[in-house]
Short mmCIF file of all heavy atoms in Angstrom, two decimals:
data_model
loop_
_atom_site.label_atom_id
_atom_site.label_comp_id
_atom_site.label_asym_id
_atom_site.label_seq_id
_atom_site.Cartn_x
_atom_site.Cartn_y
_atom_site.Cartn_z
N ALA U 1 13.20 -5.62 -2.02
CA ALA U 1 13.22 -5.26 -3.44
C ALA U 1 12.09 -5.96 -4.20
O ALA U 1 11.42 -5.35 -5.04
CB ALA U 1 14.57 -5.62 -4.05
N ASN U 2 11.86 -7.24 -3.91
CA ASN U 2 10.80 -7.97 -4.58
C ASN U 2 9.43 -7.39 -4.24
O ASN U 2 8.57 -7.24 -5.11
CB ASN U 2 10.84 -9.45 -4.20
CG ASN U 2 11.92 -10.22 -4.94
OD1 ASN U 2 12.19 -9.95 -6.10
ND2 ASN U 2 12.54 -11.16 -4.26
N ALA U 3 9.21 -7.09 -2.95
CA ALA U 3 7.93 -6.52 -2.54
C ALA U 3 7.70 -5.16 -3.20
O ALA U 3 6.58 -4.85 -3.64
CB ALA U 3 7.89 -6.38 -1.02
N LEU U 4 8.75 -4.35 -3.27
CA LEU U 4 8.62 -3.02 -3.84
C LEU U 4 8.31 -3.08 -5.34
O LEU U 4 7.39 -2.42 -5.83
CB LEU U 4 9.91 -2.24 -3.59
CG LEU U 4 9.91 -0.76 -3.95
CD1 LEU U 4 8.81 -0.02 -3.21
CD2 LEU U 4 11.26 -0.14 -3.61
N ARG U 5 9.08 -3.86 -6.07
CA ARG U 5 8.84 -3.93 -7.51
C ARG U 5 7.47 -4.54 -7.81
O ARG U 5 6.74 -4.06 -8.70
CB ARG U 5 9.92 -4.75 -8.22
CG ARG U 5 9.68 -4.81 -9.73
CD ARG U 5 10.90 -5.21 -10.50
NE ARG U 5 11.26 -6.60 -10.32
CZ ARG U 5 12.28 -7.19 -10.97
NH1 ARG U 5 13.03 -6.48 -11.82
NH2 ARG U 5 12.56 -8.45 -10.75
N SER U 6 7.08 -5.57 -7.07
CA SER U 6 5.78 -6.18 -7.28
C SER U 6 4.65 -5.19 -7.03
O SER U 6 3.67 -5.13 -7.78
CB SER U 6 5.62 -7.39 -6.35
OG SER U 6 4.33 -7.94 -6.45
N GLY U 7 4.79 -4.37 -5.96
CA GLY U 7 3.75 -3.39 -5.65
C GLY U 7 3.63 -2.32 -6.73
O GLY U 7 2.52 -1.87 -7.04
N ILE U 8 4.75 -1.90 -7.29
CA ILE U 8 4.72 -0.89 -8.36
C ILE U 8 4.09 -1.48 -9.62
O ILE U 8 3.29 -0.83 -10.31
CB ILE U 8 6.14 -0.36 -8.64
CG1 ILE U 8 6.67 0.37 -7.41
CG2 ILE U 8 6.15 0.56 -9.85
CD1 ILE U 8 8.13 0.76 -7.51
N GLU U 9 4.46 -2.72 -9.92
CA GLU U 9 3.89 -3.37 -11.10
C GLU U 9 2.38 -3.57 -10.96
O GLU U 9 1.62 -3.41 -11.93
CB GLU U 9 4.59 -4.71 -11.33
CG GLU U 9 6.03 -4.55 -11.80
CD GLU U 9 6.74 -5.87 -11.98
OE1 GLU U 9 6.39 -6.83 -11.28
OE2 GLU U 9 7.65 -5.93 -12.82
N GLN U 10 1.92 -3.91 -9.77
CA GLN U 10 0.49 -4.05 -9.53
C GLN U 10 -0.23 -2.71 -9.68
O GLN U 10 -1.33 -2.65 -10.23
CB GLN U 10 0.24 -4.63 -8.15
CG GLN U 10 0.68 -6.09 -7.98
CD GLN U 10 0.51 -6.58 -6.55
OE1 GLN U 10 -0.24 -6.00 -5.78
NE2 GLN U 10 1.21 -7.65 -6.21
N GLN U 11 0.41 -1.66 -9.20
CA GLN U 11 -0.21 -0.33 -9.26
C GLN U 11 -0.38 0.15 -10.70
O GLN U 11 -1.41 0.74 -11.06
CB GLN U 11 0.63 0.67 -8.46
CG GLN U 11 0.12 2.10 -8.48
CD GLN U 11 -1.18 2.26 -7.71
OE1 GLN U 11 -1.51 1.43 -6.86
NE2 GLN U 11 -1.94 3.31 -8.01
N ARG U 12 0.62 -0.11 -11.55
CA ARG U 12 0.57 0.39 -12.93
C ARG U 12 0.17 -0.68 -13.94
O ARG U 12 0.11 -0.39 -15.14
CB ARG U 12 1.89 1.02 -13.32
CG ARG U 12 3.08 0.07 -13.30
CD ARG U 12 4.36 0.71 -13.85
NE ARG U 12 4.82 1.84 -13.08
CZ ARG U 12 5.98 2.46 -13.28
NH1 ARG U 12 6.78 2.07 -14.27
NH2 ARG U 12 6.33 3.48 -12.54
N SER U 13 -0.02 -1.93 -13.49
CA SER U 13 -0.40 -3.05 -14.38
C SER U 13 0.58 -3.20 -15.53
O SER U 13 0.18 -3.43 -16.68
CB SER U 13 -1.83 -2.83 -14.92
OG SER U 13 -2.76 -2.81 -13.86
N ALA U 14 1.84 -3.08 -15.21
CA ALA U 14 2.89 -3.22 -16.22
C ALA U 14 4.17 -3.66 -15.52
O ALA U 14 4.39 -3.38 -14.34
CB ALA U 14 3.12 -1.91 -16.97
N ALA U 15 5.00 -4.37 -16.27
CA ALA U 15 6.26 -4.85 -15.71
C ALA U 15 7.24 -3.70 -15.51
O ALA U 15 7.20 -2.69 -16.21
CB ALA U 15 6.88 -5.90 -16.63
N VAL U 16 8.10 -3.85 -14.51
CA VAL U 16 9.15 -2.88 -14.22
C VAL U 16 10.50 -3.57 -14.39
O VAL U 16 10.76 -4.60 -13.75
CB VAL U 16 9.02 -2.33 -12.78
CG1 VAL U 16 10.23 -1.45 -12.45
CG2 VAL U 16 7.73 -1.53 -12.63
N GLU U 17 11.33 -3.02 -15.25
CA GLU U 17 12.66 -3.59 -15.50
C GLU U 17 13.74 -2.88 -14.72
O GLU U 17 14.63 -3.50 -14.16
CB GLU U 17 12.97 -3.55 -17.00
CG GLU U 17 12.30 -4.64 -17.81
CD GLU U 17 12.77 -6.03 -17.41
OE1 GLU U 17 13.98 -6.22 -17.18
OE2 GLU U 17 11.91 -6.93 -17.30
N ARG U 18 13.69 -1.56 -14.68
CA ARG U 18 14.72 -0.76 -13.99
C ARG U 18 14.08 0.11 -12.92
O ARG U 18 13.12 0.82 -13.20
CB ARG U 18 15.50 0.09 -14.99
CG ARG U 18 16.33 -0.74 -15.97
CD ARG U 18 17.17 0.14 -16.85
NE ARG U 18 18.01 -0.67 -17.75
CZ ARG U 18 18.87 -0.16 -18.63
NH1 ARG U 18 19.01 1.17 -18.73
NH2 ARG U 18 19.58 -0.96 -19.40
N LEU U 19 14.67 0.03 -11.76
CA LEU U 19 14.08 0.72 -10.62
C LEU U 19 15.19 1.20 -9.69
O LEU U 19 16.09 0.44 -9.33
CB LEU U 19 13.15 -0.25 -9.86
CG LEU U 19 12.52 0.21 -8.55
CD1 LEU U 19 11.57 1.36 -8.79
CD2 LEU U 19 11.79 -0.96 -7.89
N THR U 20 15.13 2.46 -9.33
CA THR U 20 16.03 3.02 -8.31
C THR U 20 15.17 3.72 -7.28
O THR U 20 14.43 4.66 -7.60
CB THR U 20 17.02 4.03 -8.91
OG1 THR U 20 17.83 3.37 -9.90
CG2 THR U 20 17.92 4.61 -7.83
N VAL U 21 15.24 3.26 -6.03
CA VAL U 21 14.37 3.77 -4.98
C VAL U 21 15.18 4.01 -3.71
O VAL U 21 16.03 3.19 -3.34
CB VAL U 21 13.22 2.79 -4.66
CG1 VAL U 21 12.46 3.23 -3.42
CG2 VAL U 21 12.26 2.70 -5.84
N THR U 22 14.92 5.13 -3.06
CA THR U 22 15.50 5.42 -1.75
C THR U 22 14.39 5.40 -0.72
O THR U 22 13.37 6.08 -0.88
CB THR U 22 16.20 6.79 -1.74
OG1 THR U 22 17.30 6.76 -2.65
CG2 THR U 22 16.73 7.11 -0.35
N LEU U 23 14.58 4.60 0.33
CA LEU U 23 13.62 4.51 1.43
C LEU U 23 14.19 5.18 2.67
O LEU U 23 15.34 4.91 3.06
CB LEU U 23 13.32 3.04 1.76
CG LEU U 23 12.74 2.17 0.63
CD1 LEU U 23 12.63 0.72 1.10
CD2 LEU U 23 11.38 2.69 0.20
N GLN U 24 13.41 6.07 3.28
CA GLN U 24 13.77 6.64 4.58
C GLN U 24 13.06 5.84 5.65
O GLN U 24 11.87 5.52 5.53
CB GLN U 24 13.38 8.12 4.67
CG GLN U 24 14.27 9.05 3.87
CD GLN U 24 13.89 9.08 2.40
OE1 GLN U 24 12.71 9.13 2.06
NE2 GLN U 24 14.88 9.06 1.53
N LEU U 25 13.79 5.52 6.73
CA LEU U 25 13.24 4.67 7.79
C LEU U 25 13.27 5.38 9.13
O LEU U 25 14.18 6.19 9.40
CB LEU U 25 14.04 3.37 7.90
CG LEU U 25 14.28 2.58 6.60
CD1 LEU U 25 15.09 1.34 6.90
CD2 LEU U 25 12.97 2.23 5.93
N ASP U 26 12.28 5.09 9.99
CA ASP U 26 12.29 5.64 11.34
C ASP U 26 13.11 4.72 12.25
O ASP U 26 13.73 3.77 11.79
CB ASP U 26 10.87 5.86 11.87
CG ASP U 26 10.08 4.55 12.03
OD1 ASP U 26 10.70 3.46 11.99
OD2 ASP U 26 8.85 4.62 12.19
N GLU U 27 13.10 4.98 13.54
CA GLU U 27 13.94 4.22 14.47
C GLU U 27 13.47 2.78 14.63
O GLU U 27 14.23 1.94 15.10
CB GLU U 27 13.97 4.92 15.84
CG GLU U 27 14.70 6.26 15.79
CD GLU U 27 14.80 6.90 17.15
OE1 GLU U 27 14.23 6.34 18.12
OE2 GLU U 27 15.45 7.95 17.26
N GLN U 28 12.23 2.49 14.24
CA GLN U 28 11.73 1.11 14.27
C GLN U 28 11.84 0.47 12.89
O GLN U 28 11.27 -0.59 12.64
CB GLN U 28 10.26 1.08 14.72
CG GLN U 28 10.07 1.29 16.22
CD GLN U 28 10.33 2.73 16.63
OE1 GLN U 28 9.83 3.66 15.98
NE2 GLN U 28 11.10 2.93 17.68
N HIS U 29 12.58 1.12 11.98
CA HIS U 29 12.82 0.63 10.63
C HIS U 29 11.53 0.49 9.81
O HIS U 29 11.38 -0.42 9.01
CB HIS U 29 13.58 -0.72 10.66
CG HIS U 29 14.95 -0.59 11.24
ND1 HIS U 29 15.25 -1.03 12.50
CD2 HIS U 29 16.09 -0.06 10.73
CE1 HIS U 29 16.53 -0.78 12.76
NE2 HIS U 29 17.08 -0.20 11.71
N ARG U 30 10.62 1.44 10.01
CA ARG U 30 9.42 1.52 9.20
C ARG U 30 9.62 2.62 8.15
O ARG U 30 10.29 3.61 8.40
CB ARG U 30 8.19 1.82 10.05
CG ARG U 30 7.85 0.70 11.03
CD ARG U 30 6.73 1.10 11.97
NE ARG U 30 7.12 2.24 12.79
CZ ARG U 30 6.54 2.56 13.94
NH1 ARG U 30 5.55 1.81 14.41
NH2 ARG U 30 6.93 3.61 14.62
N VAL U 31 8.99 2.44 6.99
CA VAL U 31 9.17 3.37 5.88
C VAL U 31 8.47 4.70 6.19
O VAL U 31 7.27 4.73 6.50
CB VAL U 31 8.60 2.78 4.57
CG1 VAL U 31 8.74 3.78 3.44
CG2 VAL U 31 9.32 1.48 4.22
N THR U 32 9.22 5.78 6.12
CA THR U 32 8.65 7.13 6.30
C THR U 32 8.74 7.96 5.03
O THR U 32 8.13 9.03 4.97
CB THR U 32 9.37 7.87 7.44
OG1 THR U 32 10.77 7.97 7.12
CG2 THR U 32 9.21 7.13 8.76
N GLY U 33 9.49 7.49 4.06
CA GLY U 33 9.61 8.23 2.80
C GLY U 33 10.09 7.33 1.69
O GLY U 33 10.81 6.36 1.93
N LEU U 34 9.63 7.63 0.46
CA LEU U 34 10.00 6.82 -0.70
C LEU U 34 10.15 7.75 -1.90
O LEU U 34 9.26 8.57 -2.17
CB LEU U 34 8.92 5.77 -0.97
CG LEU U 34 9.16 4.74 -2.08
CD1 LEU U 34 8.36 3.47 -1.79
CD2 LEU U 34 8.78 5.30 -3.45
N SER U 35 11.28 7.65 -2.59
CA SER U 35 11.51 8.47 -3.78
C SER U 35 12.36 7.68 -4.76
O SER U 35 13.00 6.70 -4.38
CB SER U 35 12.22 9.78 -3.41
OG SER U 35 13.49 9.51 -2.81
N GLY U 36 12.33 8.09 -6.03
CA GLY U 36 13.16 7.42 -7.00
C GLY U 36 12.55 7.41 -8.39
O GLY U 36 11.78 8.32 -8.76
N ASN U 37 12.84 6.36 -9.15
CA ASN U 37 12.45 6.28 -10.55
C ASN U 37 12.22 4.83 -10.93
O ASN U 37 13.03 3.96 -10.58
CB ASN U 37 13.55 6.90 -11.43
CG ASN U 37 13.19 6.93 -12.89
OD1 ASN U 37 13.09 5.90 -13.53
ND2 ASN U 37 13.02 8.13 -13.42
N ALA U 38 11.11 4.56 -11.61
CA ALA U 38 10.80 3.20 -12.07
C ALA U 38 10.51 3.26 -13.56
O ALA U 38 9.44 3.70 -13.97
CB ALA U 38 9.60 2.63 -11.32
N ASP U 39 11.48 2.87 -14.37
CA ASP U 39 11.35 2.92 -15.83
C ASP U 39 10.92 4.30 -16.31
O ASP U 39 10.06 4.45 -17.18
CB ASP U 39 10.34 1.87 -16.32
CG ASP U 39 10.92 0.46 -16.28
OD1 ASP U 39 12.16 0.33 -16.19
OD2 ASP U 39 10.14 -0.51 -16.33
#
């Protein structure tokens, strides 16, 4: 959660207060999909 919010804040150069994200993972638990809402 910390890595995700930090990465979004770096991308938009603004703080993120509310975030809902769904991550899809493969069999090695690597991210294959990301969707949701950040502020």
Side-chain angles (χ1 to χ4, degrees):
N2 282 324
L4 188 57
R5 181 162 71 177
S6 176
I8 296 172
E9 289 178 332
Q10 291 176 19
Q11 178 69 21
R12 62 174 62 173
S13 298
V16 173
E17 282 297 318
R18 294 185 177 181
L19 174 65
T20 299
V21 171
T22 296
L23 301 175
Q24 286 81 43
L25 310 180
D26 64 14
E27 293 183 355
Q28 284 72 47
H29 296 105
R30 295 173 298 201
V31 178
T32 59
L34 185 154
S35 60
N37 183 292
D39 285 343

